[in-house]
Amino acid sequence: MHVTRGFTGRPRVPNSGLPPGQYDTGDDWPVLSAEVTPELAPADWTFTVDGLVAEPRTWSWDEAHALPASAYEGDIHCVTSWSKFGVRFGGVSLDAFLDLVRPAPEATHAVAYSHTGYTTNLPLADLTGGRAWVVWEYGDEPLPAEHGGPARLLVPHLYFWKSAKWIAGLRLLDHDEPGFWEQNGYHHRGNPWEEQRYRDSSAAHRPSDRW
């Protein structure tokens, strides 16, 4: 596991913007990964949306960049208890990709998968309506590889393990299909404000959280 400062914990301080059980990591951005950081060049990166869609499609780096640019400015929250305020990511709203593939009416969920094989499940409602992005910039600079570059999924209103690094695609389904950490005890949705960290809060085994 690759860890930077902030992972082992900080004193909790009162902050009305913090979800319960979180602390403000300040200028730090802990690096947490379930897999070894890949050597993935932008020229080799692709993003696919398939499954229950009218027109499955794959975008190259240049094709994805040709879509309307969009940015997220706000906060992110990790299940390992840190929160980071005032971040800015640049990329493309996931709505732009979904509008082109046209999800089927029966599509209710998605599995996000990475170029490394990592997976995580999300309700489709959490990915639409301006709530999710594919991003390749952080603070107007290229997204670092250790944080998911060249491109990652960004779903900032959920715990950050849902924002899959090195994103390769989405598969739309008519049912919920647990991903990597969800199969190992994590909550299927992961809402920070409801502390949806684990499926069973009394479980004896809780896997280390890395993304």
Side-chain angles (χ1 to χ4, degrees):
M1 177 173 67
H2 308 287
V3 181
T4 61
R5 293 177 298 162
F7 177 65
T8 54
R10 297 281 185 83
R12 269 64 168 176
V13 296
N15 185 325
S16 61
L18 279 172
Q22 298 290 110
Y23 69 90
D24 183 353
T25 191
D27 292 334
D28 289 341
W29 186 1
V31 177
L32 304 146
S33 299
E35 301 160 306
V36 174
T37 299
E39 295 183 6
L40 181 61
D44 298 323
W45 178 86
T46 57
F47 180 67
T48 298
V49 184
D50 58 15
L52 294 177
V53 299
E55 296 183 33
R57 184 165 175 177
T58 298
W59 290 263
S60 68
W61 182 257
D62 289 341
E63 289 168 339
H65 278 65
L67 296 174
S70 181
Y72 168 75
E73 297 184 17
D75 312 323
I76 54 177
H77 309 286
C78 178
V79 73
T80 57
S81 298
W82 59 262
S83 293
K84 189 167 179 61
F85 292 89
V87 300
R88 186 182 191 281
F89 289 92
V92 171
S93 171
L94 201 55
D95 292 316
F97 296 98
L98 294 173
D99 286 346
L100 293 171
V101 300
R102 292 181 289 132
E106 62 268 28
T108 59
H109 289 78
V111 170
Y113 56 94
S114 301
H115 282 272
T116 56
Y118 175 86
T119 59
T120 189
N121 59 309
L122 300 112
L124 190 57
D126 282 314
L127 298 174
T128 56
R131 308 184 83 192
W133 292 258
V134 173
V135 296
W136 40 72
E137 291 180 355
Y138 176 74
D140 297 321
E141 297 291 336
L143 182 66
E146 65 269 23
H147 289 300
R152 75 179 296 158
L153 183 65
L154 178 67
V155 192
H157 65 283
L158 300 180
Y159 282 127
F160 219 46
W161 92 79
K162 295 292 186 176
S163 296
K165 291 181 175 181
W166 314 299
I167 189 67
L170 293 176
R171 183 164 298 114
L172 272 57
L173 307 170
D174 61 0
H175 61 279
D176 194 11
E177 187 173 296
F180 177 77
W181 285 120
E182 295 82 13
Q183 294 178 47
N184 285 281
Y186 279 25
H187 197 279
H188 278 218
R189 181 157 183 255
N191 182 341
W193 297 97
E194 297 181 9
E195 282 202 273
Q196 293 176 340
R197 302 178 192 270
Y198 307 100
R199 285 200 310 272
D200 180 1
S201 60
S202 65
H205 173 63
R206 294 178 178 178
S208 297
D209 305 278
R210 315 167 189 177
W211 37 91

